[in-house]
């Protein structure tokens, strides 16, 4: 069944266009704008160019999804297979199935929303041309990772995203951006070197780099020792990108330093590349090696779940000076732990749960980083103690729609039934209850119990964040101690205004008492700017899809389940 009937040749073109168009758009962004397209200034023209290119890619991805044959999601569709390097038997092999299609659409959606957001709220930094070009290169590399079916092409696409993300952090980031960018690039490059050795080992020992042929062979052409070595090498590279505890330490720094759109793309898209590699390459190509390492992978996964939650609880406590962006970054370590646990079960239930949790995490955490960026823009800080202090509490009263949406995203992140975060975690735990044949049931049921405990910790820190930032008494005046008064930031009328208010009276000072009416020990808690129209345009699709995936999970599971069943069966449905 297809939503619209599209010929195979058009499907091939659409997939090739989705992969190549952002790269061509990046080159075009660096060129001078034609005279008729400059608009008010060249910066506006190049930002509009970014929105146009990412919008065209999103439309192509939606049309591709509409033309996808949903009755045969396990079959590779829109395939292109052209010889590229005959001496190494490397081919330009593209295709999508029920596993890769949702990730392809998610990537196109998030990149478009980031481009739209940046058109109105460009992060401070060098040339907008470079910013747009880097975002488009990042999009092309990520889309190629999910579309290619050759091991060496997968590696090239996998590495293609590192340089643009490095520069987005290092040149457009906040405090400590250089150190965070270097840690990101060093961790991922070291992991990638080891991964390349594993990919070459599989290709040379099996005689092909074609991922479809290798999945169909299901490891029968590789000895157990080769599979074990390959899983160890490739798994390390993928685990760094996921990120798996204890290889996660680059992530909190990168998220904290990155601009808002950088954090959204890093959490919503780049982290999915690692887990996708586990499902697409290691599970079908080296099943014996995966079976050997599955208990260890599950153990690291549940440690990551608990560790990430405890780190978030430590950051959320009063007086810890915890950064809200850093807290959301640590929450990603826990959420990706559920994805790894589902993969480690090597069962259709667990792997489907992992793929669902991947998409849910992209939607929810992408929305959370958008919201935290907006809160930081309004307050000038993401420090939780400041946000929850006398000038920050009661976000519900100061910016009701922003506060409500932040609470919604936090509740979705903790896995409330009826929202997208619930199904992935539940299916992952079910998979751990009954793992694949050959895996220890007592061990995996222990992992299941630890993972379930992690869900309670997740609920605890998310509710603490909502209570501290969103709730509280909203008054126009609040008495402060002399020490508290000394710590208050300057009022909007006396100091720098929050970004996005230039050229118009600050909405944060609207209706607030004048300084003459407030004594030296009195602080005002004026209204904040609530959600702007461009913010609503960027955030609404993520919130709506979070609800849709939670209420109608069959839309996604109907795509992934047949493909997962065939993948685990070695190409046999």
């Amino acid at each position: 069944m297809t939503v619209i009937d599209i010929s195979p040749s058009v499907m091939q073109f659409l997939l090739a266009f989705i992969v190549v168009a952002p790269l061509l758009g990046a080159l075009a962004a660096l060129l001078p704008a034609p005279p008729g397209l400059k608009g008010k200034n060249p910066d506006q023209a190049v930002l509009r160019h970014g929105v146009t290119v990412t919008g065209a890619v999103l439309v192509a991805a939606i049309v591709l999804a509409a033309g996808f044959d949903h009755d045969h999601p396990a079959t590779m569709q829109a395939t292109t297979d052209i010889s590229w390097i005959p001496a190494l038997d490397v081919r330009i092999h593209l295709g999508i199935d029920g596993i890769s299609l949702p990730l392809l659409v998610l990537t196109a959606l998030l990149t478009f929303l980031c481009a739209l957001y940046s058109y109105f709220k460009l992060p401070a930094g060098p040339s907008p041309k470079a910013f747009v070009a880097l975002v488009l290169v990042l999009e092309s590399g990520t889309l190629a990772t999910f579309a290619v079916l050759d091991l060496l092409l997968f590696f090239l696409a996998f590495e293609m995203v590192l340089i643009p993300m490095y520069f987005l952090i290092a040149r457009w980031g906040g405090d400590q951006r250089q150190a965070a960018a270097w840690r990101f690039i060093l961790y991922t490059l070291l992991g990638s070197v080891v991964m390349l050795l594993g990919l070459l080992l599989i290709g040379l020992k099996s005689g092909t780099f074609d991922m479809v042929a290798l999945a169909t062979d299901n490891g029968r052409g590789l000895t157990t020792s080769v599979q074990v070595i390959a899983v160890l090498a490739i798994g390390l590279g993928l685990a760094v990108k996921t990120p798996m505890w204890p290889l996660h330490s680059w992530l909190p720094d990168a998220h904290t330093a990155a601009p808002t759109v950088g954090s959204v793309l890093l959490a919503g898209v780049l982290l999915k590349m690692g887990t996708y590699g586990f499902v697409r390459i290691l599970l079908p190509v080296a099943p014996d090696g995966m079976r050997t390492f599955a208990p260890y992978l599950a153990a690291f996964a549940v440690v990551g779940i608990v560790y990430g939650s405890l780190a978030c609880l430590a950051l959320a406590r009063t007086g810890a000076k915890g950064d809200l962006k850093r807290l959301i970054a640590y929450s990603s370590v826990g959420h990706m732990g559920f994805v790894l646990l589902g993969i480690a079960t090597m069962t259709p239930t667990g792997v489907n749960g992992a793929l669902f949790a991947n998409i849910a995490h992209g939607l929810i955490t992408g929305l959370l980083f958008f919201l935290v960026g907006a809160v930081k823009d309004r307050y000038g800080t993401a420090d939780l103690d400041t946000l929850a202090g006398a000038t920050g509490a009661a976000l519900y009263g100061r910016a009701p729609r922003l506060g409500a949406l932040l609470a919604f995203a936090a509740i979705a992140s903790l896995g409330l039934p009826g929202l997208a975060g619930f199904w992935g975690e539940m299916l992952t735990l079910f998979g751990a209850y009954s793992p694949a044949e050959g895996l220890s049931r007592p061990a995996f049921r222990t992992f299941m119990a630890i993972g379930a405990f992690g869900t309670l910790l997740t609920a605890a820190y998310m509710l603490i964040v909502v209570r501290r930032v969103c709730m509280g008494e909203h008054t126009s005046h609040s008495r402060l101690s002399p020490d508290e008064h000394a710590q208050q930031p300057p009022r909007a009328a006396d100091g720098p205004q929050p970004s996005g208010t230039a050229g118009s009276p600050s909405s944060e000072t609207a209706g607030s008492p004048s300084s003459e009416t407030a004594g030296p020990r009195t602080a005002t808690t004026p209204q904040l700017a609530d959600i702007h129209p461009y913010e609503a345009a960027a955030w609404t699709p993520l919130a709506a899809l979070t609800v849709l995936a939670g209420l109608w999970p069959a839309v996604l599971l109907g795509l992934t389940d047949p493909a997962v069943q065939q993948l685990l069966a070695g190409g046999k449905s």
Side-chain angles (χ1 to χ4, degrees), residues 121-405:
K121 183 68 179 176
L122 182 69
S127 165
K129 282 189 173 186
F131 177 83
V132 170
L134 289 171
V135 169
L136 291 174
V137 171
L138 183 70
E139 180 182 31
S140 181
T142 311
L143 291 168
T145 301
F146 299 137
V148 298
L149 297 173
D150 182 277
L151 289 180
L152 292 186
L153 278 183
F154 175 85
F155 177 77
L156 293 176
F158 196 85
E159 296 305 291
M160 184 177 168
V161 304
L162 300 185
I163 300 303
M165 181 53 71
Y166 167 81
F167 281 109
L168 286 174
I169 297 172
R171 304 302 300 276
W172 284 269
D175 297 336
Q176 305 296 320
R177 58 181 181 269
Q178 292 290 346
W182 272 111
R183 176 172 287 193
F184 163 76
I185 200 75
L186 288 176
Y187 263 78
T188 49
L189 280 179
L190 289 174
S192 298
V193 170
V194 181
M195 184 175 74
L196 177 60
L197 296 177
L199 294 173
L200 291 174
L201 177 64
I202 287 179
L204 296 175
K205 289 295 183 180
S206 63
T208 181
F209 290 100
D210 187 87
M211 292 158 67
V212 176
L214 288 167
T216 303
D217 187 63
N218 202 220
R220 287 182 285 270
L222 301 172
T223 64
T224 300
S225 59
V226 168
Q227 290 189 38
V228 168
I229 295 171
V231 169
L232 179 61
I234 298 171
L236 280 173
L238 297 174
V240 170
K241 187 67 72 71
T242 297
M244 179 186 77
W245 181 91
L247 304 174
H248 69 284
S249 60
W250 61 269
L251 182 70
D253 291 339
H255 271 308
T256 305
T260 296
V261 294
S263 293
V264 171
L265 293 175
L266 182 59
V269 175
L270 264 67
L271 302 191
K272 312 300 174 284
M273 296 165 64
T275 52
Y276 174 78
F278 276 104
V279 175
R280 177 64 73 196
I281 299 174
L282 294 186
L283 277 178
V285 175
D288 293 338
M290 273 297 292
R291 196 169 288 107
T292 300
F293 283 105
Y296 304 101
L297 179 63
F300 284 128
V302 296
V303 170
I305 292 170
V306 175
Y307 171 84
S309 299
L310 291 177
C312 290
L313 281 171
L315 290 170
R317 75 177 190 273
T318 304
K321 293 293 180 182
D323 187 281
L324 189 52
K325 285 188 73 176
R326 195 173 189 85
L327 185 146
I328 303 302
Y330 272 110
S331 77
S332 291
V333 176
H335 288 306
M336 298 313 289
F338 278 102
V339 177
L340 291 174
L341 177 60
I343 293 170
T345 67
M346 299 184 69
T347 62
T349 301
V351 175
N352 276 304
L355 294 172
F356 198 103
N358 246 352
I359 301 298
H361 178 265
L363 295 172
I364 297 168
T365 307
L367 178 59
L368 275 170
F369 275 117
F370 267 135
L371 293 167
V372 173
V375 170
K376 186 175 182 180
D377 288 338
R378 286 155 172 79
Y379 286 98
T381 181
D383 178 73
L384 260 174
D385 286 338
T386 303
L387 298 179
T391 61
L395 187 60
Y396 287 152
R398 303 187 68 192
R401 288 184 289 275
L402 180 61
L405 195 55

Side-chain angles (χ1 to χ4, degrees), residues 390-391 398 475-478 480 488 491 512-515 517-518 522-526:
T391 61
R398 303 187 68 192
T475 58
S476 59
H477 293 76
S478 58
L480 302 177
Q488 296 309 306
R491 294 180 54 199
S512 61
S514 65
S515 57
T517 63
T522 301
T524 60
T525 54

Side-chain angles (χ1 to χ4, degrees), residues 3 7 63 103 168 205 371 420 504 552 556:
V3 177
S7 68
V63 174
L103 291 167
L168 286 174
K205 289 295 183 180
L371 293 167
S504 62
W552 196 9
L556 186 56

